[in-house]
Amino acid sequence: MLDIENIRKDFPILSHRVYDKPLVYFDNGATTQKPRCVVEKIAYEYYNVNANIHRGVHFLSQEATEAHEEARKTVQRFIHARSSNEIVFTRGTTESINLVASSFTDACMAEGDEVIVSVMEHHSNIVPWQIQAAKKGIALRVIPMNEKGELLLDEYEKLFSEKTRLVSVTYVSNVLGTINPVKEMIRMAHEHGVPVLVDGAQSTPHMKVDVQDLDAEFYVFSGHKVYGPTGIGVLYGKEEWLDRLPPYQGGGEMIATVSFEKTVFNELPFKFEAGTPDYVGSTALAEALRYVERIGLDNIADYEQGLLSYATRKLQAIEGMRIFGNAAEKGAVISFLVGNIHHYDMGMLLDRLGIAVRTGHHCAQPLMHALGIEGTVRASFSFYNTEEEIDILVAGIERVRKMF
Ligand code: PMP
């Protein structure tokens, strides 16, 4: 059982008022709020430990390097990677996918080769592949879904061919909430000898993830969605795969030796961390992960599932309510439309009541196209949300509905 009242005290922003109403923050899919310990860690690092890391002989540089490398180990433990060499710090999910798309295409793809993605991908798992496709003549194949928002595994199986080089799929849909059976999908891909990238942007904050158990070749996530700071994220890659891939960017840190004739790249994971890394961000991300571990991912998943069923029940009772995404396995995200009310109108009016929801296509326009809509209103929950807040949302929607 989670002590939500006390947990909420860790997040000062949650007690703010907007338009003189208590803030109800249901935009956790976009970014989560930060607990005090994370914000204090950032201040502590800048006040006490700041120095550029690696190669520094002086005290502060060594201390900062140690903190950055300790953070890498915390991430390794958090997702249960075999080695901290498999953890690359990036700016976030988007940069991690761009890195793999660029380096994997350079090393492993030729004209006519194919990447399998799903219909429910975020733009950040579509566009990087299209950029590579335009350069190298590779193609995307798309896994379709049923009306509940579940991927069709039979159709997925049919997409594999001699040309398939990679599967790149999201674990949890940021729109529908669907928790895809990625472990099974990875097993199927491996039967065809195909590696898999899992977009963990929406899974990492809500459920226990074990990359060895999943057996994913690549797993990516963003710090800011898992209670950490903005501007830091992670690329996990199996060591043998990261070894095979060429660097994404060149510069300091990522080299062993440089001359005008020849440069030798650094070993993992530094080969992929060109330039001064966000060593304060990494340390604060590790603090966030420890915070989440203290609450417990199983407790978080249980509690959020409770919020999801409560909210689903209450929202379904509203006249004209259409919920998009009713998968059997679903995370705490509800996308909806009410009658003919435009999602922007709903979002703007809810905002005036102090309720933060997201509206629009949620960076998933191909999914919107498949659903035959332009956008939705999305409420996405965190362990710091409460049933009382859901009641406020329901009353808000009723109020908007009556205005139209
Ligand atoms: N993938 C999914 C499923 C997401 O929800 C998001 C963020 N909305 C991203 C990728 C991109 O994450 P970021 O903007 O932090 O790079």
Side-chain angles (χ1 to χ4, degrees):
M1 270 299 154
L2 296 182
D3 181 355
I4 304 302
E5 210 173 305
N6 261 323
I7 285 175
R8 286 179 69 86
K9 290 189 190 141
D10 294 336
F11 296 84
I13 208 168
L14 295 179
S15 53
H16 282 201
R17 292 176 77 82
V18 293
Y19 310 114
D20 207 28
K21 308 264 185 335
L23 168 68
V24 173
Y25 187 77
F26 284 154
D27 196 17
N28 296 288
T31 199
T32 50
Q33 299 303 342
K34 315 306 168 201
R36 203 181 291 276
C37 62
V38 168
V39 180
E40 283 172 358
K41 188 73 178 175
I42 295 170
Y44 178 87
E45 289 295 309
Y46 278 122
Y47 282 142
N48 300 288
V49 195
N50 182 51
N52 206 331
I53 61 168
H54 297 142
R55 306 176 316 271
V57 290
H58 62 81
F59 181 86
L60 277 187
S61 174
Q62 289 184 13
E63 222 184 345
T65 305
E66 249 168 59
H68 184 65
E69 293 310 322
E70 265 311 305
R72 201 187 300 280
K73 290 197 185 119
T74 302
V75 175
Q76 175 202 349
R77 193 190 63 234
F78 192 80
I79 60 171
H80 198 224
R82 242 172 244 100
S83 151
S84 59
N85 290 344
E86 299 179 317
I87 306 299
V88 176
F89 285 115
T90 64
R91 279 197 305 122
T93 304
T94 302
E95 191 178 50
S96 298
I97 298 177
N98 274 278
L99 187 163
V100 176
S102 169
S103 296
F104 187 92
T105 304
D106 283 350
C108 309
M109 309 254 277
E111 194 174 340
D113 284 348
E114 294 176 353
V115 176
I116 297 178
V117 296
S118 85
V119 64
M120 62 181 77
E121 298 309 317
H122 188 278
H123 294 164
S124 64
N125 194 25
I126 300 173
V127 185
W129 299 109
Q130 289 174 329
I131 290 174
Q132 298 305 323
K135 283 191 205 156
K136 224 174 179 175
I138 60 174
L140 286 184
R141 305 297 304 275
V142 183
I143 315 165
M145 64 180 190
N146 64 19
E147 70 291 344
K148 287 163 127 187
E150 296 165 329
L151 293 182
L152 298 173
L153 294 197
D154 291 352
E155 298 300 317
Y156 168 57
E157 175 62 40
K158 288 184 207 153
L159 295 178
F160 286 94
S161 76
E162 290 295 293
K163 298 181 203 151
T164 314
R165 291 290 164 270
L166 186 77
V167 173
S168 193
V169 283
T170 192
Y171 200 155
V172 176
S173 161
N174 64 314
V175 178
L176 307 168
T178 311
I179 303 174
N180 290 315
V182 289
K183 189 171 172 182
E184 170 67 2
M185 293 171 77
I186 291 167
R187 195 193 55 72
M188 289 166 72
H190 287 176
E191 276 181 4
H192 294 275
V194 173
V196 180
L197 181 151
V198 175
D199 173 351
Q202 298 292 344
S203 46
T204 314
H206 304 289
M207 58 214 264
K208 206 173 253 172
V209 169
D210 181 328
V211 289
Q212 291 187 66
D213 180 54
L214 288 178
D215 206 17
E217 276 65 33
F218 303 103
Y219 182 90
V220 301
F221 68 95
S222 299
H224 69 95
K225 291 188 200 279
V226 60
Y227 309 96
T230 52
I232 187 93
V234 171
L235 160 65
Y236 157 82
K238 282 185 184 171
E239 203 157 355
E240 73 253 35
W241 276 97
L242 291 181
D243 266 333
R244 277 178 69 179
L245 301 190
Y248 176 52
Q249 295 179 329
E253 298 280 342
M254 54 74 72
I255 51 88
T257 59
V258 177
S259 73
F260 281 114
E261 289 70 41
K262 183 176 164 60
T263 287
V264 178
F265 302 132
N266 205 340
E267 58 197 21
L268 289 177
F270 311 111
K271 181 172 87 173
F272 292 109
E273 292 181 1
T276 300
D278 186 357
Y279 52 84
V280 172
S282 61
T283 311
L285 170 60
E287 188 68 32
L289 299 182
R290 283 192 292 273
Y291 178 84
V292 166
E293 279 174 335
R294 280 199 295 280
I295 297 180
L297 275 153
D298 289 339
N299 296 333
I300 290 173
D302 280 356
Y303 179 78
E304 291 180 353
Q305 281 298 314
L307 286 181
L308 176 68
S309 13
Y310 183 82
T312 305
R313 197 154 34 83
K314 291 276 176 163
L315 289 176
Q316 267 167 348
I318 295 172
E319 206 182 305
M321 172 62 65
R322 274 192 298 162
I323 292 179
F324 298 89
N326 300 293
E329 298 291 323
K330 184 174 171 180
V333 177
I334 302 184
S335 273
F336 63 90
L337 289 171
V338 182
N340 292 325
I341 306 171
H342 196 277
H343 48 275
Y344 287 138
D345 293 333
M346 177 65 83
M348 271 156 50
L349 291 165
L350 289 175
D351 172 57
R352 302 306 288 194
L353 302 171
I355 305 164
V357 289
R358 189 143 291 248
T359 59
H361 54 60
H362 315 294
C363 297
Q365 280 183 328
L367 173 61
M368 294 298 127
H369 185 73
L371 294 169
I373 54 177
E374 264 178 44
T376 71
V377 184
R378 180 187 74 181
S380 48
F381 308 117
S382 156
F383 56 76
Y384 48 55
N385 291 127
T386 64
E387 292 186 353
E388 291 71 43
E389 289 182 311
I390 291 167
D391 292 341
I392 295 173
L393 171 69
V394 171
I397 296 171
E398 282 292 11
R399 196 163 150 186
V400 176
R401 195 179 64 77
K402 286 186 187 127
M403 284 167 66
F404 276 81

